[in-house]
């Protein structure tokens, strides 16, 4: 089975850190990136092989993470894909709102790389 | 025969008649002069007392000397009597006023009003405002007309000069207008101030929030490098790198404190009755690591229950207690005493006391390094520090937050310090009724 992850994040530094960390854990996972909600939905609608997990930033231009999440969960073809929020926000309100919209997990972006590694590892082990 | 009277008898009769005429004339003079209140007339050996209708001398003097115009008009409006005040008001002699129609002195724009008042007064009384005209001058007047029917076919009228009153009214009006304008200006200034405060708060919030992003990147990539390449570093490089991460951490602390400061007046502000004993218990629990590390003793009892914003007061006491521990003397166990009392406002001698009768004064006293009295205001300013970072760590924001929290509670904070003896922080909160 082809292992594919979609990362939706407009920050190239965060993309880099994410991909590097991912590679250290599982080098056979393909990571596709989109830099906002519009790009993400475009990718999801044009590609037959859907990603196994979507990592979604909240604060993005054009279409933010909330709206993107809502649209994914309303789409019958996409709604089963687990969405994990990956954001700098540590607001409980944002956590609550994304959970209500159907996001599975909430990962806070911190300088703690080791923590990100552990969390990613947990998620990937259960999924793949 | 009765018709054939002697000359002597006729002369006697003339003399009698002349005497009676003289008496009558004297009486008339006396009546004119107002000296007669009543007189008796002898008829058939029985005397009858007559009082005079116009004999009330006291009233006549009163009317004559009255401080307002008193006028008697015929039902057509002809003036039959005026007191001194009124003809002087018209600047005319008595003779030129009496016999003239009152309407000649009424401004043409008030003629209709006056006619209506006069007509109405014939059935009783009427009151109203009219304008009199005296030469080129207009005199606003209040007139009160009363019919003197059925005794006399005239109308009595009291005229009040409203010139002064109108003038005062105009002054009051213009003063009220000025006051209204000043209030409007004040309101708009207040609005501007509120707006700029909100802008400032959101600016510092956004600024510190956005400052966190690049900092997080510095920290993240530094961590990555340390994690991966640490072994390859020379001792010097490792030292430099650790200084970079330490500086970044300090910056993070600063930004977080600044965010905290800007949130202090924007975030959820809900006042609740809060037992300060329980609140200090919580604060002690939060600070237990530093308290244990320094073996600090915190003494408090019988603190009041006050209506405050709980999380702000938690922050306030956390900042003050942790400050007291931080600025303790080396090799001296920190002892912090928290006490509370109610003080009347006039005993406080504080220039910024608000209009409240009394205040809760909560004091947090320590036995630490204290400070020079000259710094008692400066320590509450943002980013003001009295010590180098090497001596004591701190952001210079903690006490500024305390000041802001007290302002949010309509209170204030004061500090007194004695070097090497200790510092005491006083929190003043207005005592609210009910």
């Amino acid at each position: 089975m082809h292992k594919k992850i979609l990362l939706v994040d407009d920050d190239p530094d965060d993309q880099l850190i994410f991909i590097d960390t991912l590679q250290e854990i599982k080098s056979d996972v393909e990571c596709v990136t989109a830099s906002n909600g519009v790009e993400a939905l475009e990718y999801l609608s044009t590609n037959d092989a859907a990603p196994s997990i979507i990592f979604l930033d909240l604060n993005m231009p054009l279409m933010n993470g909330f709206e993107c999440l809502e649209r994914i969960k309303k789409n019958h073809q996409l709604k089963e894909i687990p969405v994990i929020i990956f954001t700098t926000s540590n607001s409980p309100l944002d956590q609550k709102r994304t959970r209500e919209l159907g996001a599975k997990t909430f990962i806070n972006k911190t300088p703690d790389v080791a923590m990100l590694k552990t969390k990613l590892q947990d998620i990937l082990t259960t999924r793949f | 025969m009765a018709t054939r009277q002697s000359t002597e008898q006729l002369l006697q009769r003339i003399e009698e008649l002349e005497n009676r005429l003289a008496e009558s004339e004297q009486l008339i003079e006396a009546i004119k002069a107002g000296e007669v209140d009543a007189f008796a007339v002898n008829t058939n050996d029985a005397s009858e007392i007559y009082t005079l209708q116009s004999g009330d001398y006291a009233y006549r003097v009163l009317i004559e000397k009255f401080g307002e115009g008193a006028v008697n008009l015929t039902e057509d409006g002809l003036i039959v009597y005026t007191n001194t005040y009124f003809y002087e008001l018209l600047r005319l002699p008595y003779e030129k006023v009496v016999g003239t129609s009152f309407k000649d002195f009424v401004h043409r724009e008030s003629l209709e009003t006056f006619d209506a008042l006069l007509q109405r007064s014939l059935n009783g009384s009427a009151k109203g405002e009219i304008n009199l005209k005296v030469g080129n001058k207009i005199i606003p007047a209040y007139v009160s007309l009363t019919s003197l029917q059925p005794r006399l076919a005239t109308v009595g009228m009291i005229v009040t000069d409203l010139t002064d009153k109108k003038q005062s009214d105009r002054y009051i009006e213009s003063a009220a207008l000025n006051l209204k304008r000043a209030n409007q200006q004040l309101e708009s200034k207040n609005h501007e101030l509120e707006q700029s405060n909100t802008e400032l708060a959101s600016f510092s919030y956004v600024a510190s929030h956005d400052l966190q992003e690049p900092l997080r990147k510095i920290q993240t990539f530094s961590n990555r490098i340390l994690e991966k390449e640490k072994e390859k570093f020379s001792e010097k490089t490792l030292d430099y790198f650790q200084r970079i991460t330490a500086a970044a951490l300090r910056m993070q602390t600063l930004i977080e404190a600044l965010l905290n400061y800007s949130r202090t007046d924007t975030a959820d502000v809900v006042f609740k009755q809060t037992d300060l004993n329980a609140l200090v218990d919580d604060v002690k629990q939060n600070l237990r690591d530093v308290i244990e590390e320094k073996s600090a003793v915190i003494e408090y009892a019988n603190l009041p229950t006050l209506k405050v914003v709980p999380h702000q007061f938690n922050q306030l006491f956390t900042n003050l207690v942790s400050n007291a521990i931080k600025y303790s003397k080396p090799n001296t166990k920190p002892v912090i005493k928290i006490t509370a009392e109610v003080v009347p406002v006039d005993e406080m001698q504080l220039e910024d006391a608000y209009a409240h009768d009394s205040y809760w004064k909560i004091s947090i006293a320590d036995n630490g390094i204290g400070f020079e009295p000259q710094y008692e205001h400066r320590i509450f300013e943002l980013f003001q520090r009295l010590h180098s970072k090497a001596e004591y760590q701190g952001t210079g924001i903690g006490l500024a937050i305390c000041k802001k929290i007290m302002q949010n509670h309509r209170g204030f904070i004061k500090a007194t310090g004695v070097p090497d003896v200790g510092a005491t922080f006083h929190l003043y909160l207005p005592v609210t009724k009910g």
Side-chain angles (χ1 to χ4, degrees):
Chain A
M1 182 196 162
H2 183 63
K3 296 167 183 172
K4 190 160 73 176
I5 282 173
L6 172 64
L7 170 67
V8 192
D9 197 325
D10 62 319
D11 189 318
D13 292 334
D14 285 337
Q15 285 187 3
L16 178 65
I17 288 289
F18 186 89
I19 292 167
D20 282 357
T21 313
L22 189 68
Q23 301 250 294
E24 278 166 33
I25 309 163
K26 266 187 187 297
S27 52
D28 59 336
V29 176
E30 186 200 349
C31 184
V32 189
T33 54
S35 30
N36 58 62
V38 176
E39 263 183 38
L41 292 173
E42 211 173 85
Y43 174 83
L44 290 167
S45 66
T46 52
N47 278 272
D48 296 334
S52 304
I53 311 171
I54 298 168
F55 286 84
L56 184 62
D57 187 16
L58 288 180
N59 187 15
M60 292 182 294
L62 292 175
M63 186 195 286
N64 66 23
F66 296 107
E67 193 180 339
C68 184
L69 175 62
E70 202 173 352
R71 290 189 184 214
I72 289 169
K73 291 298 164 190
K74 275 183 182 164
N75 185 312
H76 290 289
Q77 260 115 53
L78 305 174
K79 65 177 183 186
E80 298 304 328
I81 308 173
V83 177
I84 289 153
I85 304 300
F86 183 54
T87 175
T88 49
S89 159
N90 54 7
S91 143
L93 281 175
D94 288 347
Q95 287 199 30
K96 185 168 172 273
R97 195 172 154 205
T98 52
R99 205 182 318 118
E100 281 167 0
L101 286 172
K104 245 182 142 59
T105 318
F106 199 95
I107 298 180
N108 197 216
K109 290 178 187 172
T110 68
D112 191 345
V113 186
M115 197 266 301
L116 175 66
K117 209 174 190 170
T118 317
K119 285 198 172 168
L120 273 183
Q121 213 146 20
D122 285 352
I123 292 163
L124 295 184
T125 336
T126 38
R127 194 64 205 170
F128 299 117
Chain B
M1 300 294 281
T3 49
R4 295 191 62 196
Q5 286 173 337
S6 67
T7 311
E8 205 174 317
Q9 274 175 317
L10 282 171
L11 283 174
Q12 203 182 335
R13 178 84 181 129
I14 286 167
E15 203 189 319
E16 242 174 71
L17 286 172
E18 273 179 347
N19 281 341
R20 281 173 69 180
L21 185 63
E23 262 176 46
S24 298
E25 277 175 347
Q26 265 176 17
L27 188 64
I28 287 164
E29 280 306 310
I31 290 168
K32 267 190 189 166
E35 287 163 0
V36 177
D37 289 335
F39 57 92
V41 176
N42 259 329
T43 341
N44 305 328
D45 288 338
S47 66
E48 259 181 84
I49 309 269
Y50 291 86
T51 55
L52 291 178
Q53 270 184 350
S54 58
D56 10 24
Y57 173 76
Y59 298 117
R60 258 197 287 152
V61 173
L62 209 58
I63 291 294
E64 194 51 44
K65 306 283 179 201
F66 200 30
E68 311 210 357
V71 184
N72 200 7
L73 302 175
T74 65
E75 293 180 349
D76 304 329
L78 279 180
I79 299 170
V80 290
Y81 167 79
T82 146
N83 69 350
T84 315
Y85 182 93
F86 186 69
Y87 65 77
E88 281 180 356
L89 181 70
L90 297 181
R91 296 169 193 281
L92 288 172
Y94 179 81
E95 306 81 45
K96 292 237 168 138
V97 176
V98 170
T100 315
S101 169
F102 187 81
K103 291 176 196 171
D104 290 353
F105 306 114
V106 175
H107 189 269
R108 57 183 147 71
E109 278 170 20
S110 292
L111 275 174
E112 217 172 293
T113 313
F114 178 74
D115 273 335
L117 288 172
L118 185 61
Q119 283 312 307
R120 238 187 306 141
S121 75
L122 298 181
N123 298 319
S125 65
K127 292 166 182 176
E129 272 186 43
I130 57 167
N131 280 332
L132 299 178
K133 113 187 138 243
V134 178
N136 292 325
K137 234 178 104 189
I138 291 174
I139 297 177
Y142 181 81
V143 291
S144 171
L145 298 89
T146 309
S147 166
L148 304 179
Q149 290 269 28
R151 281 281 176 83
L152 296 165
T154 58
V155 174
M157 176 166 73
I158 302 295
V159 183
T160 308
D161 180 2
L162 295 181
T163 309
D164 288 350
K165 185 181 172 292
K166 291 278 172 185
Q167 188 67 39
S168 319
D169 282 356
R170 269 198 294 276
Y171 285 150
I172 290 168
E173 225 168 82
S174 101
L177 198 69
N178 283 340
L179 192 64
K180 200 177 153 192
R181 274 196 211 121
N183 266 337
Q184 277 168 348
Q185 275 173 355
L186 197 65
E187 229 168 76
S188 101
K189 284 272 176 246
N190 261 343
H191 185 69
E192 274 171 35
L193 198 64
E194 251 170 50
Q195 215 162 21
S196 80
N197 266 346
T198 314
E199 271 166 21
L200 198 64
S202 69
F203 168 78
S204 56
Y205 180 80
V206 169
S208 22
H209 195 262
D210 287 358
L211 286 174
Q212 273 186 320
E213 268 306 292
L215 179 66
R216 184 176 59 84
K217 302 291 180 54
I218 293 169
Q219 289 175 309
T220 307
F221 287 110
S222 303
N223 284 346
R224 283 289 288 184
I225 294 168
L226 271 181
E227 190 192 55
K228 299 203 140 268
E229 320 278 329
K230 201 173 170 182
E231 285 75 28
K232 297 178 196 161
F233 282 179
S234 71
E235 213 172 293
K236 199 82 189 160
T237 310
L238 190 62
D239 178 44
Y240 286 168
F241 227 87
Q242 274 158 352
R243 284 174 191 275
I244 291 173
T245 47
L249 191 66
R250 228 173 22 246
M251 177 119 185
Q252 193 192 336
T253 317
L254 267 170
I255 291 173
E256 276 167 11
L258 204 56
L259 261 171
N260 213 335
Y261 177 76
S262 68
R263 270 193 210 125
T264 302
D265 52 6
T266 53
D268 47 330
V269 177
V270 181
F271 286 79
K272 268 187 201 151
Q273 288 292 341
T274 308
D275 177 4
L276 293 188
N277 300 291
L279 190 129
V280 177
D281 287 345
D282 287 346
V283 169
K284 236 174 95 177
Q285 188 62 25
N286 294 340
L287 296 173
R288 64 181 180 278
D289 289 348
V290 273
I291 291 173
E292 272 171 32
E293 188 195 320
K294 297 264 186 120
S295 312
V297 176
I298 303 169
E299 295 173 3
Y300 57 99
N302 304 322
L303 298 181
T305 293
L306 299 176
K307 200 169 182 183
V308 298
V309 181
H311 72 87
Q312 288 193 356
F313 252 58
N314 192 299
Q315 168 105 67
L316 175 70
F317 277 90
T318 302
N319 288 359
L320 292 174
V321 172
S322 60
N323 261 6
I325 297 172
K326 188 196 290 176
Y327 297 107
S328 58
K329 277 181 286 196
N331 308 319
T332 305
K333 196 169 79 174
V335 177
I336 301 153
K337 290 178 183 164
I338 307 174
T339 53
E341 61 175 320
V342 172
V343 288
V345 71
D346 41 338
E347 274 180 25
M348 287 166 36
Q349 297 176 333
L350 291 168
E351 67 283 1
D352 44 0
Y354 297 94
H356 288 278
D357 294 344
S358 52
Y359 281 77
W360 272 105
K361 178 186 179 185
I362 299 156
S363 306
I364 296 109
D366 64 47
N367 59 342
I369 57 169
F371 58 86
E372 295 284 350
Q374 71 199 79
Y375 298 124
E376 59 180 41
H377 294 293
R378 221 178 94 181
I379 54 173
F380 293 108
E381 288 168 26
L382 208 52
F383 298 124
Q384 291 295 332
R385 295 169 44 84
L386 300 183
H387 306 279
S388 72
K389 288 186 194 78
E391 278 180 299
Y392 294 94
Q393 284 197 348
T395 57
I397 298 175
L399 286 179
I401 290 178
C402 292
K403 186 179 171 184
K404 211 168 176 186
I405 289 173
M406 288 313 290
Q407 284 170 345
N408 286 353
H409 288 77
R410 297 183 169 277
F412 42 96
I413 184 168
K414 296 275 149 183
T416 52
V418 181
D420 281 328
V421 174
T424 305
F425 287 84
H426 303 285
L427 310 174
Y428 291 93
L429 269 181
V431 173
T432 48
K433 290 181 182 81

